Amino acid sequence: MGNYDSITTCRICRSGELFGFLDLGDLPAVNDFQDSPTDVAQTYPLETVFCKDCNHVQLRNTVARATLFENYTYFSSASDPMVDHFGDYADTITDRFLTADDLVVEIGSNDGILLGQLPDKVRAVGVEPAHNVAKVAEREHDLDVITEMFDSDVASRVETKYGRAAAVLANNVVGHVDDLRDFAVGVDTLLADDGVFVLEVPYLVDLLNDGTFDTMYHEHISYFCIRPMATLLDQRGLEIFDVERQPVHGGSIRVYAQRRGGPHDRTGYVDDLTTLERHMGLADVETYDRFANQIEQYRERLTGLLEALARQGTVAGYGASAKGNVLLNYCGLDSETIDYIVDTTPAKQNTYAPGTAIPVEPPSKFQEHPPDYALLLAWNYTDAILAKETEFREAGGRFVIPQPKLDVV
Ligand code: DWN
């Protein structure tokens, strides 16, 4: 068992009223791919708790961020749909908020997938702790990247060197942060008086509606909805003025915030979503209990289906995703059932998936030795992948789509 810490109070409001509702057991870090099939990945308990006071959903246990992120295997640009998504995102914030020479700081800039698509008229700076990933951003997009984990101290040093930012961005990052209150101090330090803080996070409403428990893993400490997010931002005098639902990563929200009383009018959509959350019972313990019960039933259905298919033919995984590694480990599926996994990410190829030791191969394996069934572990790109793999399906190959609705197509 690897090292980890445990909270006794909520990371946002410090309440001690934490209700544990989902325990996925001891799981490996989902991006801890191994060099040999006999190497054993460290495991850590994965339990999710609900704060009865501010309603924040979060992990009880914290795996050290440095353990998870300093040498990282997730490169956003390995997925074409994400390149398109962040290209549109860059256009949106440029049109809405940016003028020439504005400073844009992205926290968790990964391989420069967004900053590299901003117009040259703005000054872009990334903060990215994964040295191997940051190097790609520097090389491919000629970006300034501070290779450290963002916190209030890093924020001060960025502000001193570059000034205050017209836009601070944080995409698929805020959910990864252990010390949320210090993170908010850092944003407050960096943000210009009339600046905007724009962040994208997987949306708890979609997670609960679709049962996508496999997006719960040690990298993701927090699972946000609007109310606790607003509470966190309010602690630093920031307010949400707009929200957009986004289809990526199983359903996300893009949250737009500013200093209280800032120049941007609050749109009605913020209230629409807070009303939706209230009607869904996101403030009620029972909602989370019901969710946990659904997951147990799902595990039996998926495991039964895949073991049956493996008796009929060969099964391979498609996309060595983080959520895929949760699914495989939680369902006890390994190389007895799944022959191999293909992935477009060079850093993942020729390794072994954590906890299952299933070999990860380049996409050529799928073309040269197609399986009878492909378990779509990157199910958040179902449309793009089904469109790409028409030959496989025309030759009789079938995809098993595990989420959000178990299906064989
Ligand atoms: O927060 C996080 C999210 C944003 O990304 C990180 N903590 C971890 C990561 O989660 P993930 O690994 O589940 O993300 P993806 O983007 O769903 O991963 C998809 C995987 O599938 C990548 O390794 C790339 C691969 N892929 C592929 O092999 N063929 C993707 C596509 C689109 C393909 O056609």
Side-chain angles (χ1 to χ4, degrees), residues 103-167:
L103 175 66
V104 178
V105 177
E106 184 179 12
I107 304 164
S109 48
N110 199 269
D111 56 10
I113 189 170
L114 191 161
L115 291 181
Q117 299 194 71
L118 286 173
D120 293 340
K121 70 178 183 180
V122 300
R123 293 176 294 135
V125 174
V127 181
E128 172 54 57
H131 296 246
N132 61 321
V133 179
K135 279 196 179 63
V136 173
E138 291 162 338
R139 186 179 66 241
E140 304 288 324
H141 302 288
D142 192 25
L143 289 170
D144 277 6
V145 182
I146 290 90
T147 51
E148 292 190 58
M149 196 75 69
F150 181 82
D151 60 18
S152 55
D153 176 56
V154 169
S156 298
R157 285 186 276 122
V158 171
E159 195 270 338
T160 302
K161 182 171 181 182
Y162 297 96
R164 293 171 71 195

Coordinates of all heavy atoms in Angstrom, one line a residue, residues 103-167:
L103 N -2.0 39.3 -20.5 CA -1.4 38.1 -20.0 C -2.4 37.0 -19.7 O -3.5 37.3 -19.1 CB -0.6 38.4 -18.7 CG 0.0 37.2 -18.0 CD1 1.2 36.6 -18.8 CD2 0.6 37.7 -16.6
V104 N -2.2 35.8 -20.2 CA -3.0 34.7 -19.9 C -2.1 33.6 -19.2 O -1.1 33.2 -19.7 CB -3.6 34.0 -21.2 CG1 -4.4 32.8 -20.8 CG2 -4.5 35.0 -21.9
V105 N -2.5 33.2 -18.0 CA -1.8 32.2 -17.3 C -2.7 30.9 -17.2 O -3.8 31.0 -16.7 CB -1.4 32.6 -15.9 CG1 -0.7 31.5 -15.1 CG2 -0.5 33.9 -16.0
E106 N -2.2 29.8 -17.7 CA -3.0 28.6 -17.5 C -2.3 27.7 -16.5 O -1.1 27.3 -16.6 CB -3.1 27.8 -18.8 CG -4.0 26.6 -18.7 CD -4.2 25.8 -19.9 OE1 -3.5 26.0 -20.9 OE2 -5.1 24.9 -19.9
I107 N -3.1 27.3 -15.5 CA -2.6 26.4 -14.4 C -2.9 25.0 -14.9 O -4.0 24.6 -15.2 CB -3.3 26.7 -13.1 CG1 -3.2 28.2 -12.7 CG2 -2.9 25.8 -12.0 CD1 -4.2 28.6 -11.6
G108 N -1.8 24.1 -14.9 CA -2.0 22.8 -15.5 C -2.1 22.8 -17.0 O -3.1 22.4 -17.6
S109 N -1.1 23.4 -17.6 CA -1.2 23.7 -19.1 C -0.8 22.5 -19.9 O -0.9 22.5 -21.1 CB -0.2 24.8 -19.4 OG 1.1 24.6 -18.8
N110 N -0.5 21.3 -19.2 CA -0.2 20.1 -19.9 C 0.7 20.3 -21.1 O 1.7 21.0 -21.0 CB -1.5 19.4 -20.3 CG -1.3 17.9 -20.6 OD1 -1.1 17.5 -21.8 ND2 -1.5 17.1 -19.6
D111 N 0.4 19.8 -22.3 CA 1.3 19.9 -23.4 C 1.1 21.2 -24.3 O 1.4 21.2 -25.5 CB 1.3 18.7 -24.3 CG -0.1 18.3 -24.8 OD1 -1.0 19.2 -24.7 OD2 -0.3 17.2 -25.3
G112 N 0.4 22.1 -23.7 CA 0.2 23.4 -24.4 C -1.0 23.4 -25.4 O -1.2 24.2 -26.3
I113 N -1.9 22.4 -25.2 CA -3.0 22.2 -26.1 C -3.9 23.4 -26.2 O -4.5 23.6 -27.2 CB -3.8 20.9 -25.6 CG1 -4.9 20.5 -26.7 CG2 -4.5 21.2 -24.3 CD1 -5.6 19.2 -26.4
L114 N -4.0 24.2 -25.1 CA -4.9 25.4 -25.2 C -4.0 26.6 -25.5 O -4.2 27.4 -26.5 CB -5.7 25.6 -23.9 CG -6.8 26.7 -24.0 CD1 -7.8 26.4 -22.9 CD2 -6.3 28.1 -23.9
L115 N -3.0 26.9 -24.6 CA -2.2 28.1 -24.8 C -1.6 28.2 -26.2 O -1.5 29.2 -26.7 CB -1.1 28.1 -23.7 CG -1.5 28.3 -22.3 CD1 -0.3 28.4 -21.4 CD2 -2.4 29.6 -22.1
G116 N -1.2 27.0 -26.7 CA -0.6 27.0 -28.1 C -1.6 27.4 -29.2 O -1.2 27.6 -30.3
Q117 N -2.9 27.5 -28.8 CA -3.9 27.9 -29.8 C -4.4 29.3 -29.6 O -5.4 29.7 -30.3 CB -5.1 26.8 -29.8 CG -4.6 25.4 -30.2 CD -5.7 24.5 -30.5 OE1 -6.4 24.6 -31.5 NE2 -6.0 23.5 -29.6
L118 N -3.9 30.0 -28.7 CA -4.2 31.4 -28.5 C -3.5 32.3 -29.5 O -2.5 31.9 -30.0 CB -3.8 31.9 -27.1 CG -4.7 31.4 -25.9 CD1 -4.0 31.8 -24.6 CD2 -6.1 31.9 -26.0
P119 N -4.1 33.4 -29.9 CA -3.4 34.2 -30.9 C -2.1 34.8 -30.4 O -2.0 35.0 -29.1 CB -4.5 35.3 -31.1 CG -5.3 35.4 -29.9 CD -5.4 34.0 -29.4
D120 N -1.2 35.2 -31.3 CA 0.1 35.7 -30.9 C 0.0 37.0 -30.1 O 0.9 37.5 -29.5 CB 1.0 35.9 -32.1 CG 1.3 34.5 -32.7 OD1 1.2 33.5 -31.9 OD2 1.7 34.4 -33.9
K121 N -1.2 37.7 -30.3 CA -1.3 39.0 -29.7 C -1.3 39.0 -28.2 O -1.0 40.0 -27.5 CB -2.6 39.7 -30.2 CG -3.9 39.2 -29.6 CD -5.1 39.9 -30.1 CE -6.4 39.4 -29.4 NZ -7.6 40.1 -29.9
V122 N -1.6 37.8 -27.6 CA -1.6 37.7 -26.1 C -0.3 37.1 -25.6 O 0.4 36.3 -26.3 CB -2.8 37.0 -25.6 CG1 -4.1 37.6 -26.0 CG2 -2.8 35.5 -26.0
R123 N 0.1 37.4 -24.4 CA 1.2 36.7 -23.7 C 0.7 35.5 -22.9 O -0.2 35.7 -22.1 CB 1.9 37.7 -22.8 CG 2.6 38.9 -23.5 CD 3.1 39.9 -22.5 NE 2.0 40.5 -21.7 CZ 2.1 40.7 -20.4 NH1 3.1 40.2 -19.7 NH2 1.1 41.3 -19.8
A124 N 1.2 34.3 -23.3 CA 0.7 33.1 -22.6 C 1.8 32.5 -21.8 O 3.0 32.3 -22.2 CB 0.3 32.1 -23.7
V125 N 1.5 32.1 -20.5 CA 2.4 31.5 -19.6 C 1.7 30.2 -19.0 O 0.5 30.3 -18.6 CB 2.8 32.4 -18.4 CG1 3.6 31.7 -17.4 CG2 3.5 33.6 -19.0
G126 N 2.4 29.1 -19.0 CA 1.9 27.9 -18.4 C 2.5 27.6 -17.1 O 3.6 27.9 -16.8
V127 N 1.7 26.9 -16.2 CA 2.2 26.3 -15.0 C 1.9 24.8 -15.1 O 0.7 24.4 -15.2 CB 1.6 26.9 -13.8 CG1 2.2 26.3 -12.5 CG2 1.8 28.5 -13.8
E128 N 2.9 24.0 -15.1 CA 2.7 22.5 -15.3 C 3.8 21.7 -14.5 O 5.0 21.8 -14.8 CB 2.8 22.2 -16.8 CG 2.8 20.7 -17.1 CD 1.6 20.0 -16.6 OE1 0.4 20.4 -16.8 OE2 1.8 19.0 -15.8
P129 N 3.4 20.9 -13.6 CA 4.4 20.2 -12.7 C 5.0 19.1 -13.4 O 6.1 18.6 -13.0 CB 3.5 19.7 -11.5 CG 2.1 19.6 -12.1 CD 2.0 20.7 -13.1
A130 N 4.4 18.5 -14.5 CA 5.0 17.3 -15.1 C 6.0 17.8 -16.1 O 5.7 18.3 -17.2 CB 3.9 16.5 -15.8
H131 N 7.3 17.6 -15.7 CA 8.4 18.1 -16.5 C 8.3 17.5 -17.9 O 8.6 18.2 -18.9 CB 9.7 17.7 -15.9 CG 9.9 18.3 -14.5 ND1 10.9 19.2 -14.3 CD2 9.2 18.2 -13.3 CE1 10.8 19.7 -13.0 NE2 9.8 19.0 -12.4
N132 N 8.0 16.2 -18.0 CA 8.0 15.6 -19.4 C 7.0 16.2 -20.3 O 7.2 16.3 -21.5 CB 7.9 14.0 -19.2 CG 6.6 13.6 -18.6 OD1 6.1 14.3 -17.6 ND2 6.0 12.6 -19.1
V133 N 5.8 16.5 -19.7 CA 4.7 17.1 -20.5 C 5.0 18.5 -20.8 O 4.8 19.0 -22.0 CB 3.4 16.9 -19.7 CG1 2.3 17.5 -20.5 CG2 3.1 15.5 -19.4
A134 N 5.6 19.3 -19.8 CA 5.9 20.7 -20.0 C 6.9 20.9 -21.2 O 6.8 21.8 -22.0 CB 6.4 21.3 -18.7
K135 N 7.8 19.9 -21.3 CA 8.8 20.1 -22.3 C 8.2 20.1 -23.7 O 8.6 20.8 -24.6 CB 9.8 18.9 -22.3 CG 10.9 19.0 -21.2 CD 12.0 18.0 -21.5 CE 13.2 18.2 -20.4 NZ 12.7 17.9 -19.1
V136 N 7.1 19.3 -23.9 CA 6.4 19.3 -25.2 C 5.8 20.7 -25.5 O 5.9 21.2 -26.5 CB 5.3 18.2 -25.2 CG1 4.4 18.3 -26.5 CG2 5.9 16.8 -25.0
A137 N 5.2 21.3 -24.4 CA 4.6 22.6 -24.6 C 5.7 23.6 -25.0 O 5.5 24.5 -25.9 CB 3.9 23.0 -23.3
E138 N 6.8 23.5 -24.3 CA 7.9 24.5 -24.6 C 8.4 24.3 -26.1 O 8.6 25.2 -26.8 CB 9.0 24.3 -23.6 CG 8.6 24.8 -22.2 CD 9.6 24.2 -21.1 OE1 10.2 23.2 -21.3 OE2 9.6 24.8 -20.0
R139 N 8.6 23.0 -26.4 CA 9.1 22.7 -27.7 C 8.2 22.9 -28.9 O 8.4 23.6 -29.8 CB 9.6 21.2 -27.7 CG 10.4 20.7 -28.9 CD 10.8 19.3 -28.9 NE 9.6 18.4 -28.9 CZ 9.3 17.5 -27.9 NH1 10.1 17.5 -26.8 NH2 8.3 16.7 -28.0
E140 N 6.9 22.4 -28.7 CA 6.0 22.4 -29.8 C 5.3 23.8 -30.0 O 4.9 24.2 -31.0 CB 4.8 21.4 -29.6 CG 5.3 20.0 -29.4 CD 5.8 19.3 -30.7 OE1 5.2 19.7 -31.7 OE2 6.8 18.6 -30.6
H141 N 5.2 24.5 -28.8 CA 4.4 25.8 -28.9 C 5.2 27.0 -28.4 O 4.7 28.1 -28.3 CB 3.1 25.7 -28.1 CG 2.2 24.6 -28.5 ND1 1.5 24.6 -29.6 CD2 1.9 23.4 -27.9 CE1 0.8 23.5 -29.8 NE2 1.1 22.8 -28.7
D142 N 6.5 26.8 -28.2 CA 7.4 27.9 -27.8 C 6.8 28.7 -26.6 O 6.9 29.9 -26.6 CB 7.7 28.8 -29.0 CG 8.8 29.8 -28.7 OD1 9.7 29.4 -27.8 OD2 8.8 30.9 -29.2
L143 N 6.3 27.9 -25.6 CA 5.6 28.6 -24.5 C 6.6 28.7 -23.3 O 7.5 27.9 -23.1 CB 4.4 27.7 -24.0 CG 3.2 27.7 -25.0 CD1 2.2 26.7 -24.5 CD2 2.5 29.1 -25.0
D144 N 6.4 29.8 -22.5 CA 7.0 29.9 -21.2 C 6.2 29.0 -20.2 O 5.0 29.2 -20.1 CB 6.9 31.3 -20.6 CG 8.0 32.2 -21.2 OD1 8.8 31.7 -22.0 OD2 8.2 33.3 -20.8
V145 N 6.9 28.0 -19.6 CA 6.2 27.1 -18.7 C 6.9 27.0 -17.4 O 8.1 26.7 -17.4 CB 6.0 25.7 -19.3 CG1 5.2 24.8 -18.3 CG2 5.3 25.7 -20.6
I146 N 6.3 27.3 -16.3 CA 6.9 27.1 -14.9 C 6.6 25.7 -14.5 O 5.4 25.3 -14.3 CB 6.3 28.1 -13.9 CG1 6.8 29.5 -14.2 CG2 6.7 27.7 -12.5 CD1 5.9 30.3 -15.2
T147 N 7.6 24.9 -14.4 CA 7.4 23.4 -14.1 C 7.3 23.2 -12.6 O 8.3 22.6 -12.0 CB 8.5 22.5 -14.8 OG1 9.8 23.1 -14.3 CG2 8.4 22.6 -16.3
E148 N 6.3 23.7 -12.0 CA 6.0 23.5 -10.6 C 4.5 23.2 -10.4 O 3.7 23.6 -11.2 CB 6.4 24.7 -9.8 CG 7.9 25.0 -9.8 CD 8.3 26.1 -8.8 OE1 8.0 25.9 -7.6 OE2 8.8 27.1 -9.3
M149 N 4.2 22.6 -9.2 CA 2.8 22.5 -8.8 C 2.3 23.9 -8.4 O 2.9 24.5 -7.6 CB 2.7 21.5 -7.6 CG 1.4 21.0 -7.4 SD 0.9 19.7 -8.6 CE 2.0 18.4 -8.1
F150 N 1.2 24.3 -9.0 CA 0.7 25.7 -8.7 C 0.3 25.8 -7.2 O -0.4 24.9 -6.7 CB -0.5 26.0 -9.5 CG -1.1 27.4 -9.3 CD1 -0.5 28.5 -9.9 CD2 -2.2 27.6 -8.5 CE1 -1.0 29.8 -9.7 CE2 -2.7 28.8 -8.2 CZ -2.1 29.9 -8.9
D151 N 0.7 26.9 -6.6 CA 0.2 27.2 -5.2 C 0.3 28.7 -5.0 O 0.7 29.4 -6.0 CB 0.9 26.4 -4.1 CG 2.4 26.7 -4.1 OD1 2.8 27.7 -4.7 OD2 3.1 25.9 -3.5
S152 N 0.0 29.2 -3.9 CA 0.0 30.7 -3.7 C 1.4 31.2 -3.8 O 1.6 32.4 -4.3 CB -0.6 31.0 -2.3 OG 0.1 30.3 -1.3
D153 N 2.4 30.4 -3.5 CA 3.8 30.9 -3.6 C 4.2 31.0 -5.1 O 4.8 32.0 -5.6 CB 4.8 30.0 -2.9 CG 6.2 30.4 -3.1 OD1 6.6 31.5 -2.8 OD2 7.0 29.5 -3.7
V154 N 3.9 30.0 -5.9 CA 4.2 30.0 -7.3 C 3.4 31.2 -8.0 O 4.0 31.9 -8.8 CB 3.7 28.7 -8.0 CG1 3.8 28.8 -9.5 CG2 4.7 27.6 -7.5
A155 N 2.2 31.4 -7.5 CA 1.4 32.5 -8.0 C 2.1 33.9 -7.8 O 2.2 34.7 -8.7 CB 0.0 32.6 -7.4
S156 N 2.6 34.1 -6.6 CA 3.3 35.3 -6.3 C 4.5 35.5 -7.2 O 4.8 36.6 -7.8 CB 3.8 35.3 -4.9 OG 2.7 35.2 -4.0
R157 N 5.3 34.4 -7.5 CA 6.4 34.5 -8.3 C 6.1 34.8 -9.8 O 6.7 35.5 -10.5 CB 7.3 33.3 -8.2 CG 8.1 33.2 -6.9 CD 9.0 32.1 -6.7 NE 8.4 30.9 -6.3 CZ 8.4 29.7 -6.9 NH1 9.0 29.6 -8.1 NH2 7.8 28.7 -6.4
V158 N 5.0 34.2 -10.2 CA 4.5 34.4 -11.6 C 4.1 35.9 -11.7 O 4.4 36.6 -12.7 CB 3.4 33.5 -12.0 CG1 2.7 33.9 -13.3 CG2 3.8 32.0 -12.1
E159 N 3.4 36.4 -10.7 CA 2.9 37.8 -10.7 C 4.0 38.7 -10.7 O 4.0 39.7 -11.5 CB 2.0 38.0 -9.5 CG 1.1 39.2 -9.6 CD 1.8 40.5 -9.0 OE1 2.7 40.2 -8.2 OE2 1.5 41.6 -9.3
T160 N 5.0 38.4 -10.0 CA 6.2 39.3 -9.9 C 6.9 39.4 -11.2 O 7.3 40.4 -11.7 CB 7.2 38.8 -8.8 OG1 6.5 38.8 -7.6 CG2 8.4 39.7 -8.7
K161 N 7.0 38.2 -11.9 CA 7.8 38.1 -13.2 C 7.0 38.6 -14.3 O 7.5 39.3 -15.2 CB 8.2 36.7 -13.4 CG 9.0 36.5 -14.7 CD 9.7 35.1 -14.8 CE 10.5 35.0 -16.1 NZ 11.1 33.7 -16.3
Y162 N 5.7 38.3 -14.4 CA 4.9 38.6 -15.6 C 3.8 39.7 -15.4 O 3.3 40.2 -16.4 CB 4.2 37.3 -16.1 CG 5.2 36.2 -16.6 CD1 5.6 35.2 -15.7 CD2 5.8 36.2 -17.8 CE1 6.5 34.2 -16.1 CE2 6.7 35.3 -18.2 CZ 7.0 34.3 -17.4 OH 7.9 33.3 -17.7
G163 N 3.5 40.0 -14.2 CA 2.4 40.9 -13.9 C 1.1 40.1 -13.6 O 1.1 38.9 -13.6
R164 N 0.0 40.9 -13.6 CA -1.3 40.2 -13.2 C -2.0 39.9 -14.5 O -1.9 40.5 -15.6 CB -2.1 41.2 -12.3 CG -1.4 41.3 -11.0 CD -2.1 42.4 -10.1 NE -3.4 42.0 -9.6 CZ -4.2 42.9 -9.1 NH1 -3.9 44.1 -9.1 NH2 -5.4 42.5 -8.6
A165 N -2.8 38.8 -14.4 CA -3.4 38.2 -15.7 C -4.8 38.7 -16.0 O -5.6 38.8 -15.1 CB -3.4 36.7 -15.5
A166 N -5.0 39.0 -17.3 CA -6.4 39.3 -17.8 C -7.2 38.0 -17.7 O -8.4 38.1 -17.5 CB -6.3 39.8 -19.2
A167 N -6.6 36.9 -17.8 CA -7.3 35.6 -17.7 C -6.4 34.6 -17.0 O -5.3 34.4 -17.4 CB -7.7 35.1 -19.1

